[in-house]
Amino acid sequence: MKIITGNDGHEYLFRKLEMNDKEMLSDYFIALSAETKSRFGPHPLTDEFATHLCSKTEDSADRFVIVPKNEAKIVGYFIVGFELSPHEKSRYLSQGIMLEQGLDVLFAPSVADDYQNCGLASQVMPAILFHARQKGARSLVLMGGTQATNSRAIAFYEKFGFVKFGGYQTEVFNHDMRLTF
Ligand SMILES: CC(C)(COP(=O)(O)OP(=O)(O)OC[C@H]1O[C@@H](n2cnc3c(N)ncnc32)[C@H](O)[C@@H]1OP(=O)(O)O)[C@@H](O)C(=O)NCCC(=O)NCCS
């Protein structure tokens, strides 16, 4: 667990997702705006999925949350995933990079709409990078890449050393980005 101070001067806890976070996680998913959901969609953002995540005894990902020190709510949710998908592998392979399970670790960050751009993700990033390295990661790979129009996310990733690696087209163009340790 780590205590951080946002640009708003308030203190927050950064910690692993816990089983009794079910209701807070559900509220967090449901309250995300359509815009944030259009940028962050690693899995269904529903009450059912929050229940599923908080009742898992085994998980292929480590999940972290940011919680205000004096309030029972989640304002940030971060996934560090250890199971590469065939889609990610093939996209990187087309760039000449062979991702390897256990070495190349997926990453997906999100912050609640009212708390975005307050420095929260930047403050927890060193702890996330440290955690990934401790788990043996040689790189962090953005889960699904990031939309080319998501200027804030791209600036945030580049600040921490992520580099663009090609991309792919859905309704929009998505940059693949990877940070190599
Ligand atoms: C992307 C996200 C995780 C970043 O978390 P955050 O807590 O808002 O980020 P921070 O406040 O720590 O940092 C944002 C940085 O982007 C910069 N920034 C903000 N808007 C920007 C813009 N339009 N263009 C360029 N840079 C921008 C900020 O200045 C800040 O950089 P700085 O610290 O050097 O000043 C968060 O905004 C979020 O959840 N967005 C919606 C979901 C999403 O896009 N998830 C990622 C999917 S790939």
Side-chain angles (χ1 to χ4, degrees), residues 36 39-40 109-111 115-122 145-146 150-153 155-157 159:
T36 292
R39 308 284 200 195
F40 176 76
S110 70
V111 171
Y115 294 82
Q116 290 171 12
N117 221 17
C118 295
L120 292 182
S122 296
T146 187
N150 198 350
S151 324
R152 182 193 301 146
F156 167 74
Y157 295 130
K159 181 166 76 163

Side-chain angles (χ1 to χ4, degrees), residues 2-14 66-71 75 115 120 123:
K2 181 178 157 63
I3 297 178
I4 58 170
T5 307
N7 295 345
D8 57 4
H10 292 119
E11 286 192 321
Y12 299 83
L13 302 180
F14 176 66
I66 302 177
V67 179
K69 206 171 164 197
N70 298 317
E71 261 183 288
V75 301
Y115 294 82
L120 292 182
Q123 291 221 36

Side-chain angles (χ1 to χ4, degrees), residues 78-111:
F78 298 75
I79 307 171
V80 177
F82 298 96
E83 200 164 292
L84 292 170
S85 75
H87 195 218
E88 245 97 32
K89 280 186 175 174
S90 70
R91 293 201 312 270
Y92 276 86
L93 202 53
S94 71
Q95 299 295 320
I97 295 163
M98 193 178 292
L99 296 182
E100 281 191 47
Q101 185 97 354
L103 292 179
D104 300 303
V105 171
L106 299 177
F107 177 55
S110 70
V111 171

